[in-house]
Amino acid sequence: MRILLSAVFLFWALGLQAGGLSPQEQTLVDAVAEREPAARTLLERIVNINSGTGNHAGVKAVADELAPAFEALGFSVAWVDGKAFQRAGHLLARFGDRGPKLLLIGHLDTVFAPDSQFQRYQVIDERYVKGPGITDMKGGNIVMLMALQGLKDAGLLDQLQIQVVLTGDEEDRGEPLLFAIEPLRKAGRWADIALGFEDGDGDPTTAVVARRSSANWRLEIAGKPAHSSQIFREDIGHGAVYEMARVLEGFRAALKDEQLLTFNPGVVVAGTDVALCDDSRGTAFGKLNVIARKAVVEGDLRALTPEQQARAWGIMEGVAKQSLPHTRTRFTHTDRYPAMAPTDGNHALLAVYSQASQDLGYGPVRAVDPRRAGAADISFVAGSVAQALDGLGLMGTGGHTDEEVADMHTLKSQASRAALLMHRLAQP
């Protein structure tokens, strides 16, 4: 069924001709625009609620503000308590029993803790507004809601089956990971199409058809301690630091030509006695005249496809095994976010979205460079659905900093494009 859907959408997208909006579609666009003033008020309200991932009460408070808006559209709403994965939880909403099955994805949490100095919605001028999480991604949640409200007001919402998942831990994933992501993955197994309302690269002329994976790796290296004057002796060897340098340079040399693959050693500790804690804080003790006994390195890896990631792991394991004399290296890795591969189905969905944008007068939309789109919730479901598209949210700059600014001119345009996309996906 999903292969068929992908082929149908691809055929349709390739055959589209720019023809403007039908009267029904114009009604939809007008309905979205009428919702903008109330949407801005709701956005200000939720931006002013601190919902840093660790502030469980704040995350739940944002959910409590959004839930009634979904219920007013006829959605059934549920809260998944996050105690089992050490987070606040997730907000789920469901609607409809006919038409294409759409999964709409957002998140409730931000990177700003309660003690951050950046806490309030601040109007800069008639176009720009500053605020914690305003683009990443409270604004995206409002874009999603405006699109659904427009569909409802235009009498078009019942052409779709929709599940909404607003996670409470996108910025700092809960543990165990499988518990944290199960509601999202379950919705992905149900859906035909996934739409993500992150802000992508902040450019309204782009959308996301591919996201690289996010995974962690670790090197634990043991050497033979001795007086520094004896290093390189046949019975002493090279020590842990030279072995560490060999492995890291081996990674670089072997993988440097892999397109869109990155692998970064982010934390290094080395010496006679070392420790590296779960929060990436390390300690090391050693002496200048003693060969290092131990080194620990932790880093991340980003790959465009599952196949590329698996190939990289194999190469890195092979490099690590070729230890220098009297050293021993243990290489381990942990997958976190899977890759959202750039499939034909995703590109076909982008073509439909781009045509909708052009018919609305906003111009074409192209695929964003995957280097400019980090890992996100949609990655957990992209492999389960026929089509996936992300970066549909409120645009702006400065995400994850106290200079996070939204371009409010994109609120209506993004919501209109999303609403028209969903409507067109419902057409036979």
Side-chain angles (χ1 to χ4, degrees):
M1 176 62 177
R2 288 176 177 173
I3 294 173
L4 176 61
L5 277 169
S6 181
V8 168
F9 284 130
L10 181 59
F11 176 80
W12 181 39
L14 292 174
L16 282 172
Q17 300 294 324
L21 304 177
S22 70
Q24 187 180 53
E25 290 174 339
Q26 187 61 57
T27 298
L28 170 59
V29 173
D30 293 342
V32 171
E34 289 175 7
R35 289 284 189 163
E36 185 177 7
R40 284 177 176 248
T41 299
L42 180 57
L43 177 59
E44 180 175 0
R45 201 156 65 237
I46 62 176
V47 167
N48 284 337
I49 299 171
N50 179 275
S51 60
T53 312
N55 180 5
H56 295 184
V59 172
K60 180 62 164 60
V62 173
D64 290 343
E65 289 285 344
L66 294 173
F70 286 105
E71 290 172 334
L73 298 176
F75 281 74
S76 60
V77 175
W79 175 253
V80 176
D81 185 83
K83 190 175 297 183
F85 48 93
Q86 305 174 64
R87 295 295 184 269
H90 308 317
L91 181 65
L92 311 181
R94 187 163 187 162
F95 178 91
D97 57 9
R98 65 188 181 96
K101 296 177 179 178
L102 304 188
L103 168 59
L104 312 185
I105 303 170
H107 65 84
L108 305 164
D109 61 321
T110 74
V111 299
F112 301 99
D115 61 356
S116 167
Q117 296 301 305
F118 190 41
Q119 296 288 350
R120 304 296 291 178
Y121 184 98
Q122 307 164 45
V123 177
I124 298 173
D125 55 33
E126 83 59 48
R127 180 167 185 170
Y128 297 104
V129 173
K130 187 176 179 181
I134 193 166
T135 60
D136 188 12
M137 65 163 291
K138 292 177 179 180
N141 297 333
I142 297 300
V143 168
M144 178 199 301
L145 188 56
M146 279 181 65
L148 294 173
Q149 289 169 332
L151 287 163
K152 177 70 171 181
D153 295 345
L156 303 174
L157 188 60
D158 61 1
Q159 298 175 353
L160 295 162
Q161 300 179 71
I162 298 172
Q163 287 194 37
V164 174
V165 178
L166 303 182
T167 62
D169 63 343
E170 196 272 349
E171 301 292 4
D172 186 6
R173 188 63 64 198
E175 295 287 351
L177 179 63
L178 290 178
F179 286 11
I181 65 174
E182 180 52 28
L184 182 60
R185 294 182 67 191
K186 182 178 179 181
R189 292 190 291 268
W190 167 87
D192 299 317
I193 300 164
L195 302 177
F197 288 81
E198 288 273 8
D199 56 333
D201 68 343
D203 183 351
T205 68
T206 67
V208 178
V209 298
R211 287 187 179 276
R212 295 187 298 166
S213 64
S214 177
N216 300 337
W217 53 268
R218 179 180 173 98
L219 295 172
E220 297 174 80
I221 300 167
K224 189 172 182 178
H227 194 282
S228 63
S229 64
Q230 305 305 302
I231 196 166
F232 309 135
R233 235 174 58 183
E234 187 174 336
D235 60 333
I236 299 296
H238 293 66
V241 172
Y242 276 112
E243 169 64 0
M244 176 186 73
R246 179 199 69 81
V247 174
L248 294 179
E249 171 57 16
F251 289 171
R252 190 200 66 80
L255 294 170
K256 62 183 174 63
D257 295 326
E258 280 276 350
Q259 292 297 308
L260 294 173
L261 179 78
T262 56
F263 42 97
N264 176 59
V267 184
V268 174
V269 289
T272 301
D273 294 303
V274 305
L276 185 57
C277 302
D278 290 341
D279 63 357
S280 296
R281 295 180 184 274
T283 60
F285 167 78
K287 292 187 176 182
L288 301 184
N289 61 352
V290 176
I291 298 171
R293 180 174 64 182
K294 189 175 181 181
V296 179
V297 184
E298 289 187 350
D300 83 341
L301 178 140
R302 314 243 169 180
L304 186 62
T305 65
E307 294 77 16
Q308 185 183 49
Q309 181 162 303
R311 184 167 61 250
W313 290 147
I315 291 171
M316 294 168 86
E317 287 170 351
V319 170
K321 287 178 180 177
Q322 301 168 24
S323 297
L324 292 171
H326 298 286
T327 67
R328 184 176 67 257
T329 296
R330 181 171 180 255
F331 173 77
T332 56
H333 57 82
T334 304
D335 295 342
R336 297 290 294 172
Y337 284 76
M340 174 186 175
T343 66
D344 289 344
N346 296 356
H347 281 285
L349 190 56
L350 173 62
V352 180
Y353 183 66
S354 180
Q355 186 64 59
S357 178
Q358 292 174 76
D359 291 344
L360 286 163
Y362 298 126
V365 182
R366 69 186 188 280
V368 72
D369 181 346
R371 279 184 173 269
R372 298 180 63 85
D377 280 334
I378 198 169
S379 299
F380 289 112
V381 303
S384 302
V385 297
Q387 286 92 20
L389 188 66
D390 204 354
L392 307 184
L394 183 63
M395 297 293 148
T397 59
H400 287 208
T401 76
D402 59 6
E403 293 297 325
E404 186 171 353
V405 174
D407 179 354
M408 298 302 289
H409 282 189
T410 67
L411 181 61
K412 182 176 70 174
S413 59
Q414 291 296 100
S416 297
R417 294 199 291 192
L420 186 56
L421 170 65
M422 289 189 273
H423 169 62
R424 289 184 172 179
L425 292 176
Q427 305 312 302

